[in-house]
Amino acid sequence: MTQLAKDYSKDTAIKNANPANVQYLFSKSEISIFNVPVIWFAIFAAVTLTSMYTGNLPGGMIGSLLVMIVLGELFGWIGDRLPIVKSYLGGGAILAIFGSAYMVYGGLLPEAVTTSITDFMRSGGFLNFYIAALITGSILGMNSKILVKVGLRYFLPIGGAVLGAMALTGLIGSIVGFTLQEAVLVIAMPIMGGGMGAGAVPMSQVYSELLGNDPSYYISMLVPALALGNVFAIVLASLLDKIGKIYPSLTGNGQLVKGFTYEKPELKYDIQKMGAGLLAALTFFVAGSLLGAVIPLHPYAIMIILVAITKIANVIPTQVVEGASQWYQFVAKNWTFALLFGIGVAYTDLGTVLEALTLQYVLTVFGVVLGGIIGAALLGKLVGFYPIEAAITAGLCMANMGGTGDVAVLSAAKRMELMPFAQISSRLGGAIILLLAGLIVPLFI
């Protein structure tokens, strides 16, 4: 009987596979999305869309995360296979963001679903949850010698990015008809300022105090620059990845510092260790928030410092370090497209981006992002960093929209392991821009 069963199994699976055989069709599909056979993914998507458009989607985390995973993975899968999009426009990352933004803009996403996802991303803290995992896992899984070697030198390419952005923006702006004040204050500085919450909003307060007018007046001027700069940052991140493949000497393929050939150890995934990694990520995030109440730094920046200190001091148990690294890889592998979809819904105003699309404005914004890349790459190379990694972290992650932009840029560049440096650029770099704004604005009065 056993031999008959073996023969039947072998004959059915290999020789006599019939399209009419439902089990064969559902389990043997060569195409998969989210590591799920495409037929089963279509079933999951049908259930999701039906519940979404009939008003029966559960609220909160379950409904929001389901829509974000299904549509995010679908957009990501398509974007990674469209010829021009995958090669030059950021692939699945940019399609997940702007596909979802278009669904909101065009009214294709029900208002209740948009509200639910926005709440989940913002007040629900999904973005913070994701970034906490990436920061903790990537730093604890990093070679501690790299952390020591990078040190304060990282601020040199950040400075190079700021100088390069302002110089090229001033030049291009003057050519296309902007004044130096408009090019530098209204376009360059908000783009390099660390996003909305840490950049444009406090910058509008600085401008209001020094130049007059209500802060809302300046926000309406700063937001288009921020949104369009974020688009260029994502697109150019993908292009830098392509350049790195053509000129391998310019990139460390995710390693920032030259002179290290550190290989990631092979990990044997352990569910209990991953739980410890989750606990570590949440604890470090809360510790950063706790200290942020008394220290004038962004909680992300404090969190990075805390994780780096514990890594260098080698005080975290090995099982926690391994668990944090495994948890980070799980989150990055399974939830990146979902998060990017949520970013498109909750943080990307497609109408604002479209309103800014005059040729002069587009060229000037492009000059900001390109100048940031050039400045960061040149100074990064001088202090021993790989130019492409320096350009991505110190350049593009200064020019994007903060934490959401960091995820999109690193995803497009295929270098998610650089998240700690991206966060330094977004948070500490944004603080530097606010300081510069207070010093530079009086010069134009």
Side-chain angles (χ1 to χ4, degrees):
M1 192 69 178
T2 303
Q3 185 60 44
L4 285 173
K6 288 181 179 179
D7 290 342
Y8 174 79
S9 176
K10 180 179 179 181
D11 198 46
T12 301
I14 299 175
K15 300 294 184 182
N16 296 330
N18 191 317
N21 187 318
V22 175
Q23 177 64 29
Y24 177 80
L25 275 175
F26 278 56
S27 62
K28 298 295 183 181
S29 174
E30 294 181 0
I31 301 174
S32 64
I33 303 175
F34 197 53
N35 203 33
V36 175
V38 68
I39 296 176
W40 272 108
F41 188 88
I43 293 173
F44 295 153
V47 172
T48 303
L49 294 174
T50 301
S51 62
M52 186 172 79
Y53 287 113
T54 59
N56 293 306
L57 185 74
M61 175 180 175
I62 292 179
S64 299
L65 191 56
L66 177 62
V67 171
M68 289 162 62
I69 290 176
V70 169
L71 293 183
E73 288 294 332
L74 180 60
F75 281 135
W77 185 86
I78 294 172
D80 283 340
R81 285 159 180 79
L82 288 176
I84 296 176
V85 173
K86 73 175 182 178
S87 301
Y88 303 106
L89 299 179
I94 202 164
L95 193 62
I97 293 173
F98 289 100
S100 60
Y102 178 77
M103 290 186 74
V104 175
Y105 179 76
L108 301 177
L109 200 65
E111 186 175 345
V113 177
T114 300
T115 301
S116 179
I117 291 175
T118 300
D119 290 342
F120 180 54
M121 290 289 294
R122 294 178 182 267
S123 57
F126 184 61
L127 176 64
N128 289 335
F129 182 78
Y130 181 97
I131 291 178
L134 262 65
I135 290 176
T136 304
S138 55
I139 292 180
L140 291 183
M142 189 184 295
N143 187 338
S144 59
K145 292 181 180 179
I146 294 178
L147 286 175
V148 174
K149 191 174 180 66
V150 169
L152 295 176
R153 288 187 300 161
Y154 185 67
F155 287 94
L156 290 175
I158 286 180
V162 174
L163 292 175
M166 290 184 177
L168 195 55
T169 305
L171 176 61
I172 294 178
S174 64
I175 294 173
V176 299
F178 287 114
T179 66
L180 186 61
Q181 177 177 346
E182 290 170 333
V184 173
L185 296 186
V186 180
I187 299 178
M189 295 197 71
I191 290 176
M192 302 298 286
M196 281 292 294
V201 172
M203 194 174 292
S204 68
Q205 297 288 342
V206 173
Y207 286 4
S208 177
E209 293 171 6
L210 296 175
L211 299 175
N213 295 317
D214 190 80
S216 61
Y217 168 78
Y218 294 105
I219 285 184
S220 66
M221 298 168 60
L222 303 179
V223 167
L226 215 64
L228 191 56
N230 196 57
V231 173
F232 279 128
I234 298 168
V235 172
L236 290 176
S238 178
L239 184 59
L240 284 176
D241 178 54
K242 301 299 179 187
I243 292 174
K245 289 180 170 61
I246 298 172
Y247 302 101
S249 63
L250 297 178
T251 180
N253 295 308
Q255 296 187 41
L256 181 63
V257 185
K258 292 184 177 181
F260 282 88
T261 56
Y262 175 68
E263 298 292 337
K264 292 181 181 178
E266 291 291 332
L267 295 175
K268 294 182 179 178
Y269 288 93
D270 187 308
I271 294 176
Q272 289 185 323
K273 285 183 179 180
M274 289 174 68
L278 167 61
L279 176 62
L282 299 179
T283 304
F284 274 115
F285 181 85
V286 171
S289 300
L290 185 64
L291 292 175
V294 294
I295 299 175
L297 286 176
H298 193 283
Y300 281 171
I302 297 173
M303 179 184 177
I304 290 169
I305 294 169
L306 289 175
V307 180
I309 289 174
T310 57
K311 174 63 179 180
I312 293 171
N314 195 29
V315 295
I316 303 293
T318 301
Q319 62 267 32
V320 177
V321 171
E322 292 178 355
S325 182
Q326 291 177 26
W327 174 244
Y328 140 70
Q329 292 182 50
F330 172 85
V331 169
K333 179 68 175 176
N334 291 288
W335 288 341
T336 294
F337 282 136
L339 184 80
L340 295 176
F341 185 91
I343 288 172
V345 172
Y347 294 94
T348 306
D349 186 343
L350 194 58
T352 299
V353 175
L354 294 175
E355 288 174 5
L357 294 180
T358 65
L359 181 60
Q360 294 90 336
Y361 200 88
V362 169
L363 288 174
T364 307
V365 170
F366 180 76
V368 178
V369 183
L370 182 61
I373 288 176
I374 294 171
L378 290 177
L379 282 190
K381 183 175 176 61
L382 287 177
V383 294
F385 297 162
Y386 285 102
I388 285 180
E389 275 68 23
I392 291 170
T393 54
L396 295 181
C397 291
M398 282 282 287
N400 60 27
M401 292 184 70
T404 59
D406 291 341
V407 174
V409 164
L410 296 184
S411 178
K414 299 178 176 61
R415 286 166 171 79
M416 292 299 284
E417 61 270 34
L418 293 174
M419 179 59 78
F421 302 108
Q423 286 294 301
I424 291 173
S425 299
S426 291
R427 304 308 169 184
L428 300 184
I432 292 172
I433 293 297
L434 287 176
L435 176 61
L436 286 176
L439 296 174
I440 292 176
V441 170
L443 299 178
F444 291 95
I445 298 177

